[in-house]
Amino acid sequence: SGFLVLEPKSHEEASLLWYALRSEYCRKQIYYLAQTASQPELKNEAWEKHFKLPLPVGQERDKAIKAVASFQSHVSALLDADAFRVH
């Protein structure tokens, strides 16, 4: 077992990959292509031959990038929650 490393060429591409991989479509593929259900993992062969990564295009692409930026902003605010302490 191991990890598959995806190296995006830009921040925009990283956002699109993150958005697509979190989609219900990709989650279902991982579930059905996985060897086990308890710890779903894809073998390299399944990734290369069967897995389809639906990257959004056109207006959907722009929406996806904005959605990821919004999510990251919310997570960043949560992680910095200590900065909002009342003294």
Side-chain angles (χ1 to χ4, degrees):
S1 67
F3 294 90
L4 175 67
V5 177
L6 303 175
E7 294 186 53
K9 296 177 180 85
S10 66
H11 181 72
E12 192 172 87
E13 187 176 286
S15 295
L16 292 171
L17 283 169
W18 185 87
Y19 183 85
L21 287 167
R22 302 242 344 131
S23 71
E24 190 65 25
Y25 181 79
C26 283
R27 288 175 181 221
K28 285 182 179 179
Q29 284 186 93
I30 292 169
Y31 177 78
Y32 289 112
L33 292 170
Q35 300 293 317
T36 63
S38 60
Q39 179 80 26
E41 66 179 57
L42 293 181
K43 299 293 182 192
N44 223 18
E45 180 181 350
W47 174 264
E48 292 173 358
K49 290 185 179 180
H50 305 292
F51 194 82
K52 303 294 181 210
L53 189 58
L55 294 176
V57 295
Q59 288 182 337
E60 290 302 313
R61 182 177 192 267
D62 296 336
K63 285 182 193 177
I65 291 169
K66 287 178 184 174
V68 171
S70 175
F71 174 81
Q72 289 173 338
S73 175
H74 284 80
V75 168
S76 181
L78 287 171
L79 292 174
D80 196 30
D82 285 345
F84 297 103
R85 286 187 183 170
V86 177
H87 296 281

